Amino acid sequence: MKSSPENRIACEILAGNAPQKGTIFNIQRFSIDDGPGIRTTVFMKGCPLRCVWCHNPEGIKREPQLMWFDVRCIGDMECVEACPKSALDLRPGGMVIDRSVCDSCGLCVVACPSGALELVGKVLSTLEVLEEVKRDEVFYKNSNGGVTVSGGEPAVQPDFVLELLLLCKDSKMHTALDTSAYCSADVFKTLADASDMVLLDLKTMDDEKHLEYTGVSLKPILNNARYLADSRKRTWIRTPIIPGYTDESENIADLGHFVKEEMGFVERWDLLAFNNACESKYDRLDLEWKLKGVASLDSSVMEELVALARKHSGVDVHWSGPTRARMKD
Amino acid sequence: MELDIALKQDELWGPSSKLSGRVLRLRDEYFNIEKRDYFKNEIMPFTTGAKWDTVWSPNAWGVVPDLLPFHKAFMETLLLAAKKVELPEGFWEKPHIVRVAIFFSEVVTKYLPVKILDGELIVGSYFNTALSRLHNEKEAKRWKKLTKRWLKEMDFLNSHGMGNAGATPGHIIPDYPRVLKIGFKGLVEYFKKLKEKAENHQHRDFLEALIICCEATRDFAERYAVEAERMAKECSVEERSQELKEIARICRKVPWEPAESFHEAVQSLWFTHMLVMVQESYPGPGLSPGRIDQYLYPYYKKDVIEGSVSRDYAKELLECFWIKPNYAYDFIYRVGRNKGITSGYGQLVTIGGIGPEGEDASNELTWLILEVIEEMNLLEPKPNVRLHKNTPDDLLTRVCEMVAKAQGSPFLINFDEQSIEGLRWQGLPEDALWDYAPVGCLENTLQGNDRSGTVDVNVNLAKAVELTLFDGKDLETGDRLGPRTGDPTNFETWEDFKTGFETQLKSLLMRFIEFYNFCDTLRSSLEPTPYLSSIVRGCAESGRDVTAGGCEHNYVTVEGVAFATAVDSLIAIKKLIFEDRVLSMAELISAIKDNFEGHEKIRQILINKAPKYGNDDDYADEMARYLSRLWTEEVFKHKTPTGRRYRGGYLSWNYWIAYAPLTAATPDGRKRGRFLSNGICPVDGTDKKGPTAIALSISKLGLESAPNGDSHTISFNPSLFRGSGRIEKLMSYLRSYCEKGGTAIQINMIDPQTLRMAQQNPSDYQNLLVRVTGYNAYFVMLGKEIQDEIIARESHCL
């Protein structure tokens, strides 16, 4: 007699309707920083934003990509021979991947004995992902945790994500949508409605700067954010604090103001301190890391920003991330 | 037992600033052994003077194979240095057990020096001994013959990396609560009654020996009373003088009379405990006080909660007690405190856990003891917390906070549900299971009536893989260690290999069972310990010594060493050779013969193309379960001639290091010399799916068939659990671990030094999680610069 949407989806799949397929670049268990409790985070591949500071560059492109790990390579050359497109060339300076011809078929990954080549991005069905995230159910139950769908940007693969969220819900697992909210109002509404909570990334309140830093306009994001308030959705805000980009007091004050005035149901706001940890990932993808050499923030700066954010937003604010040791007098 | 490699004790084990001046001074005094010329608890040998006497028994040290080259020297030098004890008239006409008792009594009432340290409230200082084994000429001849045989077989087993065994002292929880309740006086009365009813002279002699030992405790404590009185008279500080008078009063009372106050109970406990070490001539390994927050509680309640003793004073008493077991380490002051043989002694105290109805049994004393553990920050006594599904949140929070901020592992955390399930599987009585407690490192036993030989046999499971690959021969020496199971290149199916492996494993086990039966007989017939027998239930009634299967429950534990190395090896063979056929058996054998030199590609395939245990991978975990059940159920089929049943467990002490060079390269891609796996842990660096996956892999093993308890150490970066809401995540991790069926866990918080090691040897640390903004990362996958930054940074709530 049940007729909830999640149950309907589950029944349809059981009845033989093929489950949706999506491209996922990581399923990370024991995520303790992506929402409440112990969680498994499903990272969806593909993102419309081009944030200068992007920490998951492997999540930007929608298609699977090949990555080469220099420390694992034993120079066996099996991969070079296995490639039907001759896209690989192992030179003294390292592996050169001709990305214009590589179609991420993965034959080299199979051939490599030492695991030096990895395909970032796997095509999986919602049921396969469900099976994986269900493994840690006991940890979710005891920690009030659950499943977080993140990215990239989950809204890039809306049908898959919707089905996954509903299947999780049908299995009584708590769900969180970690999103930039840069998508159509319809898609956003559908995905937010299907999630138990939303982790919303807000970077800056200045539309011009937003366009400059991320490549997209702020407007649809704010509209979608307002929908969370209207629908009384449990929401956490996350703001990356990037030196020279988002770390000005003014920016935090503006964001705080928006949170207070226009988003009534924000439960928590996290300020995430910048770090350089992703640099090696850029190298492996043959991409340029624009913030090379930028120093970490001082912990006292983070403390100040937290105080400011608290003052302007009136919500529970935390910070995390690596910071420089404070100089002692 | 636990290995501490190159202890940086002073750095690692700093005291709290909250300690009282008295306790801090006593604590510093312990560490300053060089300056302590007035008191060193070094090994003191005592002899009968007979020229055939022996004061050192290699069999007792079988499980410390590092000592094998030194036994002869120890035997000789200790005997030379031994003090001769004057023996009473007619001594040699007495039966051996009575001689042992009389000698013990003479030593503790006349010879063992008495020392009360400045300011201490709990007294009893010298306990490291090497006592004569009290053999007459004929017994000595037999002992020497057997010991020679023992040394030969033990040397063979150990030098081939097969394992080791020995009739190990300690590793038991004596019935201390009974001594507190009725005193040794009460025990003597009981033994006298039994003696009247005893049906044969052996039983009467045995009880006579117990009575002699019990009475010795009274006269031993009296010597401390006299010393305290003498010091009180000489003491010019009135307050200390009063304390010494009180100490004298208490020593005149306990452990002979029942304890009535908290101070008396703690003093009685320490005297009773230290005398076991005196008698066994063993510095305490595994001799464990058990659930002290339970049996000391009535005294605490009467004095502190209902009486006039302050909580602070009770805490100081406990802290004075806390220092005492650490003096066991003076034993190895000369033979190797700084030479790498340093080991933790594992006098394990247990707090928390359930009561008889399954209810939470924690109390105010549990909380006080947590404070003591935190503030003392000492190696001994090793603390264990029993958790269960109804452990109150506030207690669990407190424990997790202590774990999160510690360097190293402050606790063994034991899970009641699965531990009890194992003891039930083993066949222990249902109504006693709730009151179990671990000894040593983590080995579960009942209290007061159970000797389970918890570390007495250690077998290298990975060796059975080597023997299957080489038709029963050791690769390095060519020596035959197992039966002929055939040339594995002729094996056509996985089943063929499996059959060969099972044959080798069972044969390896049988060799150890035969050897341990020999160890057990050697000890039970020639090295009884009547004092210990007097405080272990069942011995007096059965008329048999605790070494001879006299107590109510008697087991011998066979610890499987290198479990995960063996499992991953079997997986690789099954998957890559027989299923995927990407390698041939001949290629594998050739690569292993060459220790993978010139076969790096094969090694990489073995590492990367076969699943590994510890990742919640059902294929791999099924193999792990297969091996665990095969091993533990096979072990359980056997008994010693003294009637002790063998049971399985997983504890690898330091053998995963020691046997690494003695085990050929393994089919999981490990080269000879690389460490074997430890306890029930996955092979270092192969668990890539994080802590939840490891917990679930372990939960699939069906560990009830390994009732001894299963060593699992997990490492986290301390930063993981700093910051708001983090402790709750650690708590729920532990609750889930408990629910899914782990038996015990130790949590390591990884310090920057380790991170530096990880940076230099990334393949050894592939599983090391660190937190980086927004997500957890595997440390070794980060670029060098960020690694440097993580090492150097100030960790706030990162």
Side-chain angles (χ1 to χ4, degrees):
Chain A
M1 285 298 287
K2 280 193 218 161
S3 62
S4 60
E6 60 268 22
N7 193 248
R8 222 161 34 237
I9 290 279
C11 290
E12 277 171 27
I13 291 174
L14 279 177
N17 284 8
Q20 293 284 339
K21 291 200 167 198
T23 310
I24 284 139
F25 69 91
N26 195 7
I27 298 179
Q28 189 179 290
R29 296 163 71 168
F30 197 65
S31 287
I32 58 172
D33 212 31
D34 290 325
I38 295 173
R39 311 188 72 83
T40 297
T41 304
V42 180
F43 292 91
M44 304 301 302
K45 202 152 158 43
C47 184
L49 276 66
R50 294 291 178 271
C51 304
V52 175
W53 54 80
C54 178
H55 276 58
N56 286 330
E58 74 276 34
I60 296 173
K61 214 178 151 202
R62 174 71 173 74
E63 293 75 31
Q65 284 161 286
L66 194 60
M67 265 192 177
W68 178 75
F69 294 80
D70 56 350
V71 292
R72 296 183 189 161
C73 182
I74 58 167
D76 183 63
M77 306 295 279
E78 290 270 350
C79 55
V80 176
E81 284 163 34
C83 180
K85 301 271 167 75
S86 303
L88 298 178
D89 186 6
L90 185 59
R91 295 186 192 163
M95 180 69 76
V96 177
I97 303 168
D98 185 348
R99 294 189 185 277
S100 65
V101 294
C102 172
D103 63 356
S104 303
C105 69
L107 288 174
C108 58
V109 176
V110 176
C112 174
S114 61
L117 286 157
E118 268 183 23
L119 216 45
V120 186
K122 249 189 185 172
V123 178
L124 296 172
S125 77
T126 50
L127 288 187
E128 287 169 310
V129 176
L130 182 72
E131 194 189 338
E132 181 69 13
V133 299
K134 265 183 144 175
R135 288 184 167 266
D136 279 353
E137 258 183 312
V138 64
F139 296 95
Y140 312 152
K141 184 194 76 183
N142 284 315
S143 67
N144 293 318
V147 179
T148 297
V149 185
S150 179
E153 169 51 56
V156 168
Q157 303 183 56
D159 297 339
F160 176 91
V161 171
L162 176 65
E163 190 169 289
L164 179 62
L165 289 168
L166 294 175
L167 285 171
C168 288
K169 204 172 200 181
D170 185 53
S171 295
K172 309 281 182 271
M173 290 185 286
H174 179 270
T175 55
L177 181 72
D178 178 18
T179 175
S180 68
Y182 185 76
C183 58
S184 75
D186 282 350
V187 166
F188 190 78
K189 187 173 175 303
T190 313
L191 296 184
D193 287 351
S195 312
D196 292 314
M197 73 178 294
V198 170
L199 310 174
L200 174 70
D201 271 28
L202 286 180
K203 290 128 186 142
T204 171
M205 289 305 292
D206 183 320
D207 192 30
E208 245 173 68
K209 284 185 182 167
H210 198 277
L211 191 62
E212 186 192 334
Y213 301 161
T214 71
V216 302
S217 164
L218 180 61
K219 280 186 193 117
I221 293 174
L222 294 187
N223 283 336
N224 286 334
R226 289 186 190 100
Y227 173 73
L228 296 176
D230 296 342
S231 60
R232 305 184 160 215
K233 180 60 68 180
R234 182 182 180 195
T235 303
W236 290 12
I237 305 285
R238 315 221 285 181
T239 301
I241 303 298
I242 312 298
Y245 293 88
T246 62
D247 64 336
E248 288 166 13
S249 318
E250 205 178 53
N251 184 40
I252 298 301
D254 289 349
L255 286 166
H257 205 69
F258 176 75
V259 168
K260 187 173 189 175
E261 297 300 319
E262 305 202 41
M263 299 198 64
F265 291 87
V266 171
E267 188 178 285
R268 174 177 166 138
W269 182 8
D270 287 289
L271 305 184
L272 314 174
F274 165 80
N275 71 75
N276 254 315
C278 55
E279 189 173 344
S280 40
K281 293 202 269 190
Y282 275 85
D283 288 345
R284 285 178 206 132
L285 289 165
D286 304 315
L287 298 171
E288 188 200 350
W289 170 232
K290 296 193 190 82
L291 302 187
K292 202 178 182 99
V294 173
S296 303
L297 291 150
D298 193 297
S299 59
S300 63
V301 172
M302 293 306 295
E303 298 286 357
E304 281 161 28
L305 293 178
V306 164
L308 199 66
R310 216 171 264 154
K311 183 178 138 199
H312 288 280
S313 66
V315 303
D316 185 21
V317 185
H318 298 267
W319 75 270
S320 63
T323 49
R324 265 177 298 156
R326 209 177 322 189
M327 298 300 286
K328 295 210 169 73
D329 301 280
Chain B
M1 290 191 283
E2 207 171 84
L3 185 74
D4 295 301
I5 303 164
L7 272 185
K8 284 165 286 174
Q9 290 182 336
D10 299 347
E11 293 163 42
L12 204 54
W13 305 96
S16 158
S17 59
K18 289 180 195 159
L19 291 179
S20 70
R22 176 208 307 273
V23 175
L24 189 62
R25 209 173 51 250
L26 286 166
R27 193 184 179 284
D28 288 346
E29 186 175 33
Y30 159 67
F31 280 107
N32 285 332
I33 185 162
E34 280 81 10
K35 292 183 195 151
R36 235 196 295 126
D37 23 359
Y38 51 90
F39 170 55
K40 285 190 178 68
N41 185 27
E42 287 183 274
I43 185 165
M44 301 181 80
F46 295 97
T47 174
T48 59
K51 62 177 185 293
W52 55 78
D53 199 17
T54 184
V55 299
W56 178 268
S57 179
N59 186 15
W61 296 91
V63 300
V64 190
D66 317 86
L67 293 181
L68 270 173
F70 305 112
H71 285 309
K72 200 159 170 278
F74 284 157
M75 285 157 88
E76 284 166 9
T77 54
L78 285 169
L79 190 59
L80 274 177
K83 199 173 182 74
K84 187 178 175 308
V85 171
E86 289 305 321
L87 303 169
E89 198 93 351
F91 179 78
W92 289 106
E93 280 78 60
K94 308 258 185 209
H96 183 224
I97 186 86
V98 177
R99 271 180 268 143
V100 171
I102 293 173
F103 191 85
F104 169 76
S105 173
E106 292 296 305
V107 167
V108 301
T109 60
K110 292 177 187 153
Y111 291 87
L112 200 64
V114 164
K115 180 82 196 170
I116 295 176
L117 298 173
D118 192 23
E120 67 180 358
L121 298 170
I122 300 299
V123 301
S125 48
Y126 289 94
F127 57 81
N128 283 335
T129 67
L131 297 192
S132 164
R133 267 40 176 188
L134 284 311
H135 300 139
N136 60 27
E137 195 170 4
K138 200 176 143 205
E139 288 156 351
K141 216 170 150 190
R142 184 161 163 253
W143 184 90
K144 278 189 180 126
K145 198 176 137 205
L146 293 176
T147 296
K148 207 173 149 194
R149 221 175 102 193
W150 184 94
L151 282 165
K152 196 176 161 210
E153 173 70 354
M154 178 61 198
D155 187 51
F156 184 89
L157 296 171
N158 184 60
S159 65
H160 287 87
M162 299 160 82
N164 57 67
T168 314
H171 298 89
I172 189 167
I173 302 169
D175 195 359
Y176 295 136
R178 194 171 179 208
V179 176
L180 300 189
K181 252 181 242 154
I182 66 171
F184 279 101
K185 187 179 162 190
L187 286 174
V188 167
E189 283 164 16
Y190 173 63
F191 296 154
K192 282 184 175 161
K193 273 185 209 145
L194 283 179
K195 203 177 158 197
E196 281 165 24
K197 287 184 279 179
E199 285 174 359
N200 55 48
H201 71 90
Q202 283 95 340
H203 198 174
R204 279 192 294 278
D205 290 342
F206 179 66
L207 289 163
E208 178 60 26
L210 300 195
I211 292 165
I212 292 167
C213 291
C214 291
E215 286 174 345
T217 66
R218 175 193 57 205
D219 303 341
F220 167 74
E222 169 64 22
R223 296 173 69 207
Y224 274 90
V226 170
E227 174 67 1
E229 257 167 2
R230 182 193 68 78
M231 290 171 73
K233 272 194 203 114
E234 288 174 12
C235 182
S236 56
V237 183
E238 180 51 25
E239 202 187 332
R240 181 59 183 160
S241 182
Q242 286 305 322
E243 281 174 6
L244 286 162
K245 281 179 195 157
E246 174 67 358
I247 289 168
R249 182 193 70 75
I250 290 173
C251 292
R252 208 149 264 148
K253 182 172 175 182
V254 296
W256 180 246
E257 304 272 352
E260 287 174 283
S261 69
F262 187 65
H263 192 162
E264 288 170 10
V266 176
Q267 181 63 62
S268 181
L269 170 61
W270 174 244
F271 272 152
T272 311
H273 180 81
M274 70 175 271
L275 286 171
V276 180
M277 295 188 268
V278 172
Q279 169 148 80
E280 289 199 302
S281 295
Y282 207 63
L287 178 68
S288 299
R291 302 182 76 185
I292 58 170
D293 66 336
Q294 302 302 305
Y295 64 80
L296 287 177
Y297 183 67
Y299 306 94
Y300 180 82
K301 185 167 172 243
K302 183 171 159 246
D303 278 13
V304 181
I305 299 173
E306 292 157 8
S308 57
V309 176
S310 76
R311 185 178 184 274
D312 281 349
Y313 191 69
K315 184 164 140 191
E316 232 180 354
L317 285 171
L318 278 174
E319 288 174 341
C320 287
F321 166 73
W322 228 250
I323 295 167
K324 288 292 182 187
N326 289 279
Y327 275 101
Y329 290 92
D330 279 13
F331 185 85
I332 46 167
Y333 171 56
R334 291 201 189 168
V335 297
R337 194 174 186 171
N338 300 310
K339 288 178 193 158
I341 326 179
T342 311
S343 64
Y345 284 146
Q347 298 169 64
L348 195 61
V349 299
T350 294
I351 56 173
I354 59 170
E357 307 300 323
E359 77 284 8
D360 178 64
S362 64
N363 55 42
E364 288 99 307
L365 190 54
T366 316
W367 284 81
L368 183 65
I369 290 170
L370 284 170
E371 254 176 72
V372 171
I373 292 165
E374 185 173 46
E375 292 177 15
M376 295 302 281
N377 197 15
L378 283 167
L379 281 163
E380 303 281 332
K382 295 247 158 70
N384 164 49
V385 177
R386 273 178 53 176
L387 299 181
H388 56 97
K389 67 175 192 289
N390 296 321
T391 296
D393 268 341
D394 56 352
L395 182 63
L396 186 54
T397 305
R398 175 83 168 106
V399 168
C400 287
E401 281 169 354
M402 287 173 70
V403 168
K405 72 177 178 193
Q407 290 274 341
S409 179
F411 289 115
L412 165 69
I413 296 170
N414 217 82
F415 300 105
D416 282 356
E417 284 81 1
Q418 183 68 16
S419 295
I420 287 172
E421 195 53 41
L423 298 172
R424 180 178 292 134
W425 185 91
Q426 180 185 332
L428 290 170
E430 186 65 31
D431 60 352
L433 301 181
W434 65 275
D435 207 22
Y436 83 96
V439 300
C441 285
L442 51 81
E443 308 100 72
N444 291 329
T445 65
L446 295 184
Q447 299 189 93
N449 61 354
D450 177 359
R451 179 165 246 174
S452 287
T454 64
V455 296
D456 288 16
V457 191
N458 302 284
V459 181
N460 181 0
L461 302 177
K463 201 72 191 178
V465 177
E466 180 182 337
L467 295 181
T468 317
L469 288 170
F470 298 100
D471 195 16
K473 282 185 176 176
D474 181 54
L475 176 61
E476 189 169 29
T477 61
D479 293 343
R480 175 153 297 285
L481 308 181
R484 292 175 200 278
T485 41
D487 176 355
T489 56
N490 297 329
F491 292 166
E492 283 172 12
T493 63
W494 161 245
E495 289 302 318
D496 291 346
F497 190 91
K498 200 167 109 175
T499 305
F501 173 74
E502 289 182 8
T503 306
Q504 293 296 347
L505 188 73
K506 286 175 189 174
S507 151
L508 189 62
L509 175 64
M510 273 321 293
R511 182 149 187 180
F512 275 94
I513 285 185
E514 278 160 24
F515 180 55
Y516 189 81
N517 288 346
F518 174 72
C519 302
D520 193 44
T521 306
L522 169 53
R523 177 170 71 176
S524 64
S525 62
L526 289 164
E527 301 189 33
T529 51
Y531 169 69
L532 178 57
S533 296
S534 77
I535 48 175
V536 177
R537 290 196 303 280
C539 297
E541 294 81 355
S542 65
R544 287 205 310 266
D545 193 73
V546 66
T547 57
C551 53
E552 288 172 4
H553 305 293
N554 297 282
Y555 293 85
V556 182
T557 307
V558 186
E559 306 280 9
V561 176
F563 173 73
T565 303
V567 168
D568 285 353
S569 297
L570 294 175
I571 294 168
I573 289 169
K574 183 180 181 209
K575 178 102 172 78
L576 301 174
I577 294 179
F578 294 108
E579 285 177 8
D580 297 354
R581 297 187 177 270
V582 295
L583 287 177
S584 71
M585 185 64 82
E587 283 175 304
L588 175 70
I589 288 175
S590 153
I592 286 180
K593 277 184 177 163
D594 295 341
N595 199 23
F596 293 118
E597 297 304 325
H599 303 274
E600 186 57 19
K601 184 175 168 189
I602 289 180
R603 196 174 88 89
Q604 289 298 333
I605 290 172
L606 293 167
I607 293 171
N608 292 296
K609 303 292 177 178
K612 302 282 181 279
Y613 160 70
N615 292 291
D616 190 20
D617 177 302
D618 292 337
Y619 183 96
D621 296 343
E622 195 187 314
M623 185 68 84
R625 185 185 168 94
Y626 152 74
L627 178 59
S628 184
R629 295 302 294 216
L630 169 71
W631 169 247
T632 51
E633 289 175 18
E634 193 61 31
V635 165
F636 205 70
K637 289 177 185 165
H638 304 279
K639 268 187 177 181
T640 68
T642 51
R644 303 166 71 192
R645 183 172 286 289
Y646 287 94
R647 63 173 193 166
Y650 296 104
L651 178 64
S652 308
W653 195 42
N654 66 348
Y655 315 130
W656 54 290
I657 300 170
Y659 293 141
L662 301 173
T663 308
T666 37
D668 62 338
R670 173 196 147 275
K671 292 182 180 177
R672 184 189 287 275
R674 262 275 275 149
F675 294 164
L676 301 162
S677 67
N678 180 8
I680 203 73
C681 305
V683 172
D684 262 0
T686 60
D687 48 324
K688 295 179 181 172
K689 291 224 168 162
T692 58
I694 299 173
L696 294 172
S697 281
I698 288 175
S699 77
K700 287 182 240 174
L701 295 175
L703 282 177
E704 65 277 10
S705 64
N708 188 57
D710 313 286
S711 168
H712 178 208
T713 305
I714 192 165
S715 300
F716 292 111
N717 184 287
S719 62
L720 269 171
F721 298 112
R722 263 175 228 152
S724 84
R726 301 267 174 238
I727 290 298
E728 289 77 1
K729 299 196 187 198
L730 179 57
M731 284 167 63
S732 43
Y733 178 74
L734 291 177
R735 283 211 189 278
S736 309
Y737 197 99
C738 181
E739 185 175 331
K740 290 306 284 187
T743 56
I745 191 170
Q746 298 188 67
I747 297 175
N748 268 335
M749 294 292 162
I750 299 293
D751 53 302
Q753 285 90 328
T754 307
L755 294 176
R756 264 182 224 112
M757 291 286 289
Q759 196 175 35
Q760 286 154 19
N761 312 295
S763 58
D764 296 359
Y765 291 89
Q766 290 196 39
N767 55 345
L768 181 60
L769 267 178
V770 289
R771 270 174 47 80
V772 185
T773 304
Y775 63 100
N776 308 328
Y778 289 103
F779 181 77
V780 297
M781 298 309 291
L782 299 170
K784 177 157 189 313
E785 286 162 34
I786 184 68
Q787 287 182 349
D788 287 342
E789 194 179 322
I790 289 175
I791 292 169
R793 77 196 170 194
E794 176 189 49
S795 294
H796 170 71
C797 53
L798 178 84

